[in-house]
Amino acid sequence: SGEPVPVIGLLGITPETADLAQRYVMAESWSGLIFSLCFTLRSSAEGMGQSRVVLKAGLAGLAAQVVANVVFVYGYAGVPALGAVGFGWATVVSALVMLATYLARREDLVRYFRVRLRSDEAAEDLVQDIYVKIQGLPDEAIDNPSGFLFRLGSNLMLDQIVLRATARVLAL
């Protein structure tokens, strides 16, 4: 008939099951972007040898998935029972918990440099610069990944201070 047919409609399942499957897929699809961000941050953490961050994010995501499955499927804590569709929404919650775990490490860096730079914006920019720099590093193990991140940030911060001071002197 020329009109697109959803893939679920091609599976030869009952309309009730097709409706349930479609609602599950729609719920689950919200986790796609979140997991993409998680995989990017996971790759950065693994590249820096921060296996504990990866482990913590994975365990936090797993725990969140188990709890959210019960809450969303059976309906607890004021959440209506969603049945099978609840599994899709639980996956979204799990992905958000994993993302928050990865971003917490980033927040440690921002907090550290916010105090030194006395500026939220400057600290955010500096941490972004750190992540840009580490993306270009060769795939070598770093003995102390956390120390490396803070040292790299300190060096970038000093570079910024020298550049600003030089610009002020040249402006005179």
Side-chain angles (χ1 to χ4, degrees):
S1 68
E3 203 172 300
V5 177
V7 172
I8 293 173
L10 300 174
L11 297 176
I13 54 181
T14 67
E16 296 82 20
T17 304
D19 177 60
L20 180 64
Q22 184 166 349
R23 289 186 295 127
Y24 168 80
V25 169
M26 292 302 293
E28 178 86 23
S29 68
W30 286 97
S31 67
L33 177 62
I34 302 165
F35 275 129
S36 296
L37 293 170
C38 287
F39 290 136
T40 300
L41 294 169
R42 176 185 174 159
S43 295
S44 293
E46 286 176 337
M48 294 297 299
Q50 295 181 328
S51 56
R52 285 187 179 170
V53 172
V54 175
L55 178 64
K56 286 178 186 177
L59 290 174
L62 178 62
Q65 183 77 46
V66 169
V67 172
N69 280 344
V70 173
V71 169
F72 286 98
V73 172
Y74 298 107
Y76 287 100
V79 176
L82 300 174
V85 176
F87 288 115
W89 288 114
T91 301
V92 173
V93 170
S94 173
L96 287 169
V97 168
M98 290 176 66
L99 181 61
T101 304
Y102 284 118
L103 293 177
R105 182 67 185 132
R106 183 183 187 284
E107 186 55 35
D108 290 344
L109 288 168
V110 171
R111 193 173 24 257
Y112 178 83
F113 290 110
R114 181 182 300 127
V115 170
R116 280 141 190 85
L117 294 168
R118 297 186 184 108
S119 166
D120 290 342
E121 186 177 303
E124 288 285 347
D125 288 346
L126 183 68
V127 171
Q128 182 63 34
D129 290 346
I130 291 170
Y131 281 95
V132 167
K133 287 269 189 199
I134 64 173
Q135 291 300 318
L137 292 177
D139 293 336
E140 296 175 7
I142 295 172
D143 293 333
N144 182 355
S146 185
F148 178 80
L149 287 174
F150 285 96
R151 172 53 56 201
L152 177 60
S154 295
N155 290 343
L156 289 171
M157 181 178 64
L158 290 174
D159 289 348
Q160 288 179 4
I161 291 169
V162 169
L163 282 173
R164 274 184 267 165
T166 302
R168 271 187 259 136
V169 168
L170 292 175
L172 296 175

